Amino acid sequence: LPMAFRDVNARRHIGLQQLSSLALAGRTLLGPMKSCKFIVDESTNQSTLICSALRLIESLDLTSAAGQLLNETIQAQNKEFKTGMSTLLFLVGAWSNAVLECLQQNVPVSAIVSVMSEGLNSCCERVQCLQISIHDVNKELCSSSVRPNTFKSVTCQIGHDCLLNPQIFLYFQKEISAPEVIPMNSCSHQEDDCNFNKCLASSLGGFGSIASLVKPVGDKSTSVISGSGVIASSCNKQKLTHSRYFSTIAKSRFSSQQDNFQGYLSGQPADPCECYGLGHLAMTLSHGNQTSMKLLQSIVAYQQERAECSGSSQLNIAEIVTCCLLGLPESYSCVSPGFVTLVSPEQATVIKYFEDKPLRILLMDGDLTEQYRHLGFNRSCNVRTILEHPSLQEGRAGDLWLNSMLDILISFEVNLVLVKGKVCENLMERCIANTILVIGSVTRDVLCAFGEVTSAQPVTYLTQLNTSCVGSGAYAELWKACDGRAMDLGELVPIRIKVRGIPLLTAVLTTAVASKMQLIEDQFWTLVYRLHHALNDKKVFLGGGAVELLCLSHVQMLANKNAVKDFHNPWLAAPATEYKSVVLQALASGWKQYLSVVMCNTAKAASELEACTSVDYHLKKAADCGSPSAYILKEFRRDDLLGGGFGPFIDHREGLKVYDNVTAKTEAWRRALDLVLLVLQTDAEIITGPKRKQLLNSHVSSEFMFL
């Protein structure tokens, strides 16, 4: 065709070009080893470090229609899965370029849409053979020569980010046969911590009366060597560095209980095939994110211990919250039972007046402001208020409301108020003056957790308050860091609110770099939801690009076939078969670009050319094998795919293979292609007009194009 025809054909698809340009910005975010980006706010000149497509899209100027559609697509993926956004963004760009290549070759829009859609559907069916059940993953971990140290991953990092409770220390004398018995103090308001410690102690394999070896909160006779993984006491300096040390000691006296000790992390019985549980599944899904993995392992261990009687093995996300502390080293990250949050120094002073006494708690399901009205509230119509002195009257009305609300709280002896929404600043000040702690912006899950254990019933307005709505048994304290000190971060002070028996766990995320805080929180929640979706799917994909390699091999095989029987779409028009090979090769180019960029981002290839050469090598080997899926599975198990033994299929820092979510990944593929095809058809039918589109697709002469 004349060059003028191809130029017009390409120029009319501005939306695809915009998608390609936007997706190019997220190229380095693909793969397990992401290259982070700095986003600078021009209004404040503050920078934020990001490594997710979601944060990138939120920071870009999306004024075009294609940009808005891309934003909505990524937001939808994030809302449902919290993972897979980087894959979605990259494939949007890769397939946009592929479609533009097809348009340059004058492939009809209808053929592109039908063939690409059927090609992706065929890929999704084909890759089902690379799914592996969670049970089989656990078996593989158990039979593998690499056996991660379960006890070390939780206990030997005291003072670091995988610690369940910074106040838990184990004491051993030189003679383990006569362990030092440390008396447990009266629990009173610390009963929750005591139960938490006992829960951990019982899960360590049943060391006789090991609960007596757990140090209660408040005893300061311990010393922790931060960063060394060493546990010591003031009267016993024997260093314990490996979990095998505990196992060796246990053999002499507690040999019958050693198997239970090995199964601590998963909370499972000592079945050799079940000794690795959800904590190790989290390892395979972490893709090298050490800090988030250890925090999640701690959460899983505690939740499984609590759910042991019910037999539930699911991860309860509703019982997990995060608290971001700026100003502490990242090694201070930990998981703390209860609700950890940040308050102002004035609010923190209220805690000193509580003196470890039980608090009467009130839950507010809404804003604590004078103007707040619940959803669905209808104001009276045709009512007009006339005031002689509006400013004076408004001031008096506000004072009346403040006095009334404060009187209600005092009359019901409320000490602690958790509010889902905003809190009136004037009311907050008056509550502080009257020793009432009010905390706003509390999530619904936190309100529900406190409601279950304190018998408090949420109210929408304080005027609805009655005796049965007020709960009891809550305690508040300043949050203590790994070294046992209460931390004062200046503008905000971390505190912890707890109740005996509350299942709530707070992942305290710390960093000394302000720009990294959002990054650390995003990484944590991404891993949490990966494990959550893996448990829901009950299966995972082989990770590191194995699935995409099979898709590439499968699509190329379809493109080389002349028969149309591989496609099951009954409305596949005859003209579309003419362009089937071209369109399928365009679809395959997206997978090939994906694999090449992953290898480059993980430094497994010096250039995309070298990466493409490696991919082509494995494609040829898979084709010669006769069964690409069998070849990929074999190479995956040998760790010899896409990089000669150093590919992204194995996390060498943990010695474990990597896996991906099934539903989240396939939905990211579908959303990416749906968006590209939507923009393609929109450009063709709206921007250029349906008549022009029909003429272009009917191979009109080049002379007509110049009219």
Side-chain angles (χ1 to χ4, degrees):
L1 292 174
M3 181 65 67
F5 182 89
R6 295 199 296 268
D7 289 344
V8 172
N9 199 13
R11 283 200 304 269
R12 67 193 180 100
H13 290 279
I14 303 299
L16 291 175
Q17 298 176 32
Q18 292 174 342
L19 287 180
S20 177
S21 299
L22 291 171
L24 186 62
R27 189 181 184 88
T28 61
L29 303 179
L30 192 65
M33 299 178 63
K34 307 176 188 296
S35 297
C36 301
K37 293 179 177 292
F38 271 106
I39 301 296
V40 181
D41 189 344
E42 294 181 354
S43 60
T44 61
N45 288 329
Q46 293 183 348
S47 59
T48 303
L49 197 63
I50 65 168
C51 71
S52 70
L54 174 67
R55 301 301 175 189
L56 175 65
I57 290 299
E58 289 178 347
S59 305
L60 295 179
D61 183 14
L62 304 176
T63 56
S64 64
Q68 291 294 331
L69 289 173
L70 177 60
N71 179 44
E72 292 178 5
T73 305
I74 290 181
Q75 293 288 350
Q77 177 77 10
N78 175 69
K79 183 178 180 180
E80 186 173 0
F81 298 105
K82 296 292 191 300
T83 184
M85 285 80 72
S86 296
T87 296
L88 191 159
L89 179 62
F90 181 86
L91 289 178
V92 163
W95 282 333
S96 294
N97 290 329
V99 170
L100 286 171
E101 290 288 336
C102 292
L103 292 173
Q104 291 285 357
Q105 301 178 53
N106 198 35
V107 178
V109 173
S110 59
I112 296 174
V113 173
S114 59
V115 175
M116 275 198 161
S117 299
E118 278 300 307
L120 182 60
N121 289 337
S122 181
C123 284
C124 291
E125 294 177 1
R126 184 70 182 88
V127 297
Q128 290 182 7
C129 62
L130 295 186
Q131 296 175 3
I132 180 171
S133 69
I134 295 176
H135 179 74
D136 292 338
V137 172
N138 289 336
K139 277 188 175 181
E140 183 178 351
L141 287 169
C142 193
S143 60
S144 173
S145 59
V146 179
R147 287 171 158 257
N149 198 322
T150 61
F151 187 70
K152 181 179 179 181
S153 66
V154 175
T155 308
C156 288
Q157 294 289 333
I158 287 184
H160 294 274
D161 47 10
C162 65
L163 182 61
L164 277 167
N165 188 336
Q167 284 77 36
I168 299 177
F169 305 116
L170 298 179
Y171 281 74
F172 287 88
Q173 282 189 335
K174 295 180 180 179
E175 296 294 332
I176 190 64
S177 59
E180 176 187 4
V181 177
I182 302 175
M184 299 292 291
N185 293 341
S186 176
C187 286
S188 62
H189 71 284
Q190 298 174 351
E191 286 183 358
D192 185 53
D193 280 333
C194 293
N195 292 335
F196 187 74
N197 297 350
K198 290 177 182 178
C199 175
L200 283 178
S202 64
S203 64
L204 292 179
F207 277 88
S209 59
I210 196 169
S212 62
L213 301 177
V214 180
K215 186 69 174 177
V217 177
D219 194 320
K220 302 180 180 179
S221 61
T222 61
S223 63
V224 180
I225 303 177
S226 178
S228 63
V230 177
I231 308 172
S233 72
S234 59
C235 60
N236 179 15
K237 302 300 182 182
Q238 184 176 3
K239 296 182 178 181
L240 309 174
T241 57
H242 296 85
S243 62
R244 293 191 197 89
Y245 182 85
F246 293 101
S247 299
T248 304
I249 295 174
K251 285 180 181 178
S252 61
R253 189 175 181 184
F254 308 109
S255 58
S256 63
Q257 299 165 343
Q258 182 181 3
D259 292 336
N260 289 335
F261 168 79
Q262 294 291 342
Y264 158 69
L265 182 60
S266 64
Q268 299 293 327
D271 185 345
C273 294
E274 297 295 339
C275 60
Y276 297 108
L278 302 188
H280 288 80
L281 180 60
M283 280 186 179
T284 65
L285 296 169
S286 66
H287 298 182
N289 188 346
Q290 296 284 318
T291 301
S292 299
M293 177 195 69
K294 292 175 181 177
L295 292 176
L296 183 56
Q297 283 180 323
S298 300
I299 292 172
V300 165
Y302 182 57
Q303 286 194 349
Q304 284 199 293
E305 188 67 29
R306 288 182 57 91
E308 193 175 32
C309 57
S310 62
S312 174
S313 62
Q314 296 298 307
L315 177 69
N316 193 343
I317 296 182
E319 296 177 357
I320 306 172
V321 293
T322 55
C323 179
C324 300
L325 300 185
L326 179 62
L328 295 175
E330 292 181 26
S331 60
Y332 278 63
S333 296
C334 64
V335 177
S336 178
F339 177 50
V340 179
T341 187
L342 298 175
V343 299
S344 65
E346 293 78 15
Q347 291 173 283
T349 57
V350 177
I351 298 179
K352 298 179 181 179
Y353 296 96
F354 293 152
E355 297 180 353
D356 301 331
K357 296 179 181 178
L359 307 177
R360 289 173 59 81
I361 183 173
L362 171 63
L363 308 177
M364 297 288 298
D365 188 14
D367 295 346
L368 188 51
T369 60
E370 185 178 5
Q371 295 78 22
Y372 173 75
R373 299 294 182 271
H374 63 275
L375 185 64
F377 175 83
N378 296 319
R379 297 181 180 275
S380 301
C381 300
N382 300 324
V383 174
R384 184 174 61 177
T385 303
I386 300 176
L387 300 174
E388 294 181 0
H389 303 284
S391 59
L392 181 60
Q393 294 293 337
E394 289 176 2
R396 290 178 179 176
D399 289 339
L400 289 175
W401 180 82
L402 290 174
N403 294 332
S404 176
M405 297 302 102
L406 188 59
D407 290 341
I408 293 175
L409 293 176
I410 294 175
S411 63
F412 285 94
E413 299 179 350
V414 175
N415 310 113
L416 174 63
V417 184
L418 300 182
V419 185
K420 179 184 175 184
K422 301 177 181 178
V423 180
C424 175
E425 293 183 3
N426 293 333
L427 180 59
M428 176 82 74
E429 293 176 359
R430 296 202 181 190
C431 289
I432 292 175
N434 288 271
T435 322
I436 300 176
L437 181 61
V438 182
I439 300 176
S441 302
V442 179
T443 64
R444 184 180 294 275
D445 290 336
V446 174
L447 294 180
C448 293
F450 277 98
E452 291 177 0
V453 295
T454 64
S455 301
Q457 300 178 10
V459 296
T460 306
Y461 307 100
L462 280 181
T463 53
Q464 299 173 331
L465 190 59
N466 56 54
T467 306
S468 61
C469 296
V470 181
S472 59
Y475 295 88
E477 64 181 6
L478 297 178
W479 180 79
K480 296 179 177 59
C482 300
D483 53 8
R485 295 178 299 171
M487 304 306 298
D488 185 355
L489 303 180
E491 295 181 357
L492 296 175
V493 180
I495 66 168
R496 182 171 68 155
I497 304 172
K498 55 185 180 179
V499 184
R500 180 181 180 183
I502 190 169
L504 201 64
L505 294 174
T506 302
V508 183
L509 308 176
T510 63
T511 181
V513 183
S515 58
K516 288 187 64 177
M517 184 54 72
Q518 185 68 67
L519 169 66
I520 293 174
E521 186 177 19
D522 288 342
Q523 289 178 335
F524 172 77
W525 283 115
T526 296
L527 180 55
V528 169
Y529 276 92
R530 278 181 190 162
L531 180 58
H532 172 71
H533 295 307
L535 295 174
N536 286 345
D537 295 338
K538 294 182 174 57
K539 54 192 174 183
V540 290
F541 269 143
L542 303 184
V547 178
E548 287 78 9
L549 185 63
L550 182 58
C551 286
L552 175 57
S553 174
H554 179 64
V555 173
Q556 287 188 345
M557 180 189 66
L558 293 178
N560 294 331
K561 284 187 176 181
N562 296 322
V564 193
K565 60 182 180 179
D566 298 286
F567 290 95
H568 309 292
N569 196 331
W571 56 272
L572 185 61
T577 61
E578 178 183 351
Y579 305 99
K580 185 188 71 162
S581 178
V582 175
V583 177
L584 287 177
Q585 288 291 353
L587 182 66
S589 68
W591 299 124
K592 193 169 187 178
Q593 289 181 44
Y594 177 95
L595 293 169
S596 301
V597 172
V598 167
M599 293 184 66
C600 290
N601 288 352
T602 53
K604 308 308 176 188
S607 64
E608 284 198 43
L609 178 60
E610 180 180 336
C612 289
T613 302
S614 177
V615 172
D616 290 336
Y617 167 79
H618 286 288
L619 286 174
K620 184 177 183 304
K621 295 281 288 184
D624 295 341
C625 178
S627 175
S629 59
Y631 171 80
I632 291 173
L633 183 60
K634 180 186 70 173
E635 295 300 310
F636 180 88
R637 289 173 176 169
R638 291 176 50 199
D639 308 321
D640 193 27
L641 199 57
L642 297 184
F646 300 94
F649 286 85
I650 185 168
D651 181 3
H652 291 278
R653 285 166 292 189
E654 287 293 335
L656 295 173
K657 295 182 177 67
V658 297
Y659 295 92
D660 292 326
N661 292 122
V662 173
T663 306
K665 180 177 279 289
T666 54
E667 282 301 307
W669 297 348
R670 294 184 186 279
R671 282 190 166 106
L673 185 60
D674 288 346
L675 175 61
V676 171
L677 298 182
L678 174 63
V679 173
L680 167 66
Q681 294 175 96
T682 302
D683 284 349
E685 297 176 7
I686 297 179
I687 299 176
T688 63
K691 292 184 179 180
R692 174 67 64 86
K693 172 176 140 300
Q694 293 174 5
L695 290 173
L696 290 173
N697 290 339
S698 300
H699 297 248
V700 295
S701 64
S702 59
E703 291 81 3
F704 181 83
M705 295 300 300
F706 291 101
L707 293 179

